[in-house]
Amino acid sequence: MSLAVVASRNDVPTIEIDSDRLLADMRALADFGKVGSGVHRRALGSVDMQARGWLADRMRAAGLAVEMDGVGNVIGRTPHARRILIGSHTDTVPNGGWLDGAMGVIYGLELARAFMAAGGGGEIGLEIVSFSDEEGCFAALLGSHSFVGEMDRDAMLDRVNEDGVRLADTLEAVGLADKAAARFDPAIHPAYLEAHIEQGPVLEAKGLPIGIVTTIVGVRGWKISFHGQADHAGTTPMAMRLDAGAALCDFAVRIAAFCRRESGTHTVWNGGDIRLIPGAHNVVPERADYIFSFRDPSAALLDRIAQEVERLSSVVAAEHGVTSEAGQIFAMAPAAMDETLMGLMRDAAEAEGAPSLDMPSGAGHDAMVLARHVPTGMLFIPSIAGRSHHVAEDSAPEDIVTGARVMARALTTLCRTIALP
Ligand SMILES: [Zn+2]
């Protein structure tokens, strides 16, 4: 699936952003849930709902028809029968940064405002979306999953947030329980664009202002458990122990060595959680649990690592005289971005005098959900020191503005050349 283009139509206005207005709105949004230089805005909480209300007002003032749907997605539409989707999210992780998600939504607001101010002509318009709960307060990427019809809303209603409050009760409390879910429609929505901060250090290290996302990497998470026997750590000879902890440590070293040997340029892995039971200095561990996750743009490479996790865990268990279980606990498939949209953004960056880098995204985004249904493009700007999911998250104002200008130029070309559904 690659986006089809036609000869240029000249009834579409040139979209020119107002950089002061863009930055002012981004700062205004950051005031909702401000924590020092960062933001704490958990999905569907009172601060998040105030921010959604503010965004809806800004969209209305820009001349958009606004809807807040049954999971909290805020959607602003120009009055066109067919509309290019532009979005991201305005919820944050606990004590997160002010740009993660928010930047892409405010880009959308400013692009729609500039488009409408320039006459809003042509047969194709814009639809700006702030997807609900991208950060997984109740369920990761909740809003985008709902939007593309991949979520069974009723099955989700019993999910609880970190305060133990059910999604059903939350939706009731904020007045969304009886609202319908807004839906993606291929006859209306021919493309999706998302801009985001990189959340990593690559663009800054290379001194490049724009990243063109090629693929959002896939991720797999595995839980590996070793079962041995708890014994006195002083009296049991080494050769007679069934030490689940020693097996785990051995496994952790050997699976990392395998990943180093087999990895591609963009493979990353993480042993982020270890639990030894009973967890006492004078007891041989009877059980050891390890959460191991790995990411790569290639599903085939992810398969290879998964096979090795399974094989190696039983080999190591046998060597240590313990037993093991290994099972996948989460998985997300890699999502390829659309070549035509990548090319449009690359050309737009060049025309703006902003050199770009083709790169994968190591983080998940709403774009990975949309990409299964509609040609999708994603643009990155640099994160200072690569910091994100932290109050220290920031980007240079000139990079924020450059990213918006590149989006505006790419979007103008897209509106003029996209084959209408
Ligand atoms: Zn984000």
Side-chain angles (χ1 to χ4, degrees), residues 89 100-101 134-135 196:
H89 61 99
D100 178 359
E134 193 267 354
E135 301 289 5
H196 208 282

Side-chain angles (χ1 to χ4, degrees), residues 28-295:
L29 176 55
D31 279 339
F32 292 91
K34 195 173 184 61
V35 181
S37 58
V39 175
H40 182 93
R41 209 161 47 219
R42 301 298 280 153
L44 303 173
S46 63
V47 171
D48 179 61
M49 289 306 292
Q50 285 165 28
R52 285 173 197 281
W54 172 87
L55 176 65
D57 287 345
R58 298 302 282 159
M59 286 176 166
R60 262 178 227 112
L64 308 184
V66 181
E67 173 187 0
M68 196 181 310
D69 84 346
V71 293
N73 290 328
V74 180
I75 303 169
R77 304 175 175 101
T78 67
H80 301 74
R82 286 160 293 196
R83 301 176 295 273
I84 290 162
L85 288 161
I86 301 172
S88 197
H89 61 99
T90 47
D91 64 306
T92 74
V93 295
N95 299 313
W98 72 295
L99 294 170
D100 178 359
M103 188 190 80
V105 173
I106 300 299
Y107 272 20
L109 170 65
E110 176 58 25
L111 291 166
R113 193 158 46 193
F115 175 78
M116 293 302 278
E123 282 192 69
I124 187 113
L126 308 180
E127 183 162 328
I128 314 307
V129 191
S130 169
F131 290 111
S132 190
D133 200 15
E134 193 267 354
E135 301 289 5
C137 202
F138 297 95
L141 305 160
L142 177 86
S144 44
H145 276 124
S146 166
F147 189 69
V148 299
E150 286 183 12
M151 186 191 92
D152 177 351
R153 191 167 179 275
D154 292 338
M156 277 289 150
L157 293 176
D158 281 330
R159 293 286 194 113
V160 293
N161 65 10
E162 58 257 48
D163 299 321
V165 183
R166 290 167 69 230
L167 177 60
D169 298 333
T170 304
L171 292 173
E172 186 76 49
V174 299
L176 295 174
D178 298 325
K179 293 205 170 177
R183 278 293 159 80
F184 163 77
D185 181 344
I188 295 173
H189 305 120
Y192 174 70
L193 292 175
E194 180 167 354
H196 208 282
I197 53 166
E198 181 200 340
Q199 304 183 277
V202 175
L203 289 174
E204 184 184 69
K206 291 186 184 288
L208 296 170
I210 297 290
I212 309 293
V213 177
T214 52
T215 310
I216 300 175
V217 302
V219 57
R220 310 271 178 95
W222 278 67
K223 180 175 181 181
I224 304 99
S225 299
F226 296 96
H227 301 268
Q229 184 174 298
D231 281 307
H232 195 294
T235 59
T236 317
M238 294 310 289
M240 296 175 72
R241 296 177 187 214
L242 303 176
D243 187 340
L248 184 152
C249 294
D250 195 6
F251 172 81
V253 170
R254 285 158 72 175
I255 194 66
F258 175 86
C259 289
R260 262 194 303 279
R261 219 164 44 237
E262 298 289 318
S263 61
T265 327
H266 301 294
T267 320
V268 294
W269 58 92
N270 188 38
D273 193 1
I274 289 180
R275 222 151 280 179
L276 300 181
I277 296 161
H281 76 91
N282 51 4
V283 185
V284 175
E286 67 176 338
R287 176 162 173 183
D289 294 335
Y290 191 43
I291 309 289
F292 184 72
S293 63
F294 42 99
R295 302 173 193 235

